[in-house]
Amino acid sequence: TYSRKKQHLYQTIIMKIVFTLLALAAFTAIVEVQGATLCECYNPFAGTPKSHIGDESNTCPKFCYVPCNADCRDLKKARGKDRCTSTVACDKNIAFLVAQ
């Protein structure tokens, strides 16, 4: 009957909208992950007289500096411009298991 066809049409439209939204969300997540860097320590003070401040041999296991777009699950903003820290990055076994 007409009402069944209309109901089926609405269901089809709703399913297409839901599928499109899910696909968009998945694509957005993929793009965000691809923009991230690995959860690895780096020294933002390298090449300066203050390089010892960012040396992971001095800061780990408490924390180390990581890029602010790193995929560390415990990423925290550090004082200063464009610096972030992570404890996870200090443990190379955890950091690379997360990255894989």
Side-chain angles (χ1 to χ4, degrees):
T1 66
Y2 178 74
S3 64
R4 276 193 166 176
K5 287 182 181 180
K6 195 172 186 181
Q7 183 181 11
H8 179 70
L9 178 64
Y10 287 135
Q11 288 174 342
T12 303
I13 291 171
I14 290 171
M15 286 184 351
K16 286 180 180 181
I17 290 171
V18 168
F19 176 77
T20 302
L21 291 174
L22 287 173
L24 182 61
F27 177 74
T28 302
I30 289 169
V31 169
E32 287 177 9
V33 169
Q34 288 177 345
T37 61
L38 293 178
C39 185
E40 294 182 284
C41 298
Y42 90 109
N43 187 346
F45 303 101
T48 72
K50 297 181 179 182
S51 64
H52 64 282
I53 294 173
D55 188 342
E56 67 184 273
S57 64
N58 295 328
T59 61
C60 286
K62 196 173 179 181
F63 75 94
C64 70
Y65 290 98
V66 294
C68 289
N69 66 338
D71 65 350
C72 305
R73 66 176 181 253
D74 67 335
L75 189 72
K76 293 179 185 167
K77 285 282 194 185
R79 288 191 301 178
K81 186 179 178 187
D82 299 325
R83 289 198 302 261
C84 293
T85 62
S86 169
T87 300
V88 171
C90 285
D91 186 339
K92 302 301 182 203
N93 293 324
I94 292 175
F96 285 109
L97 281 174
V98 171
Q100 291 175 358

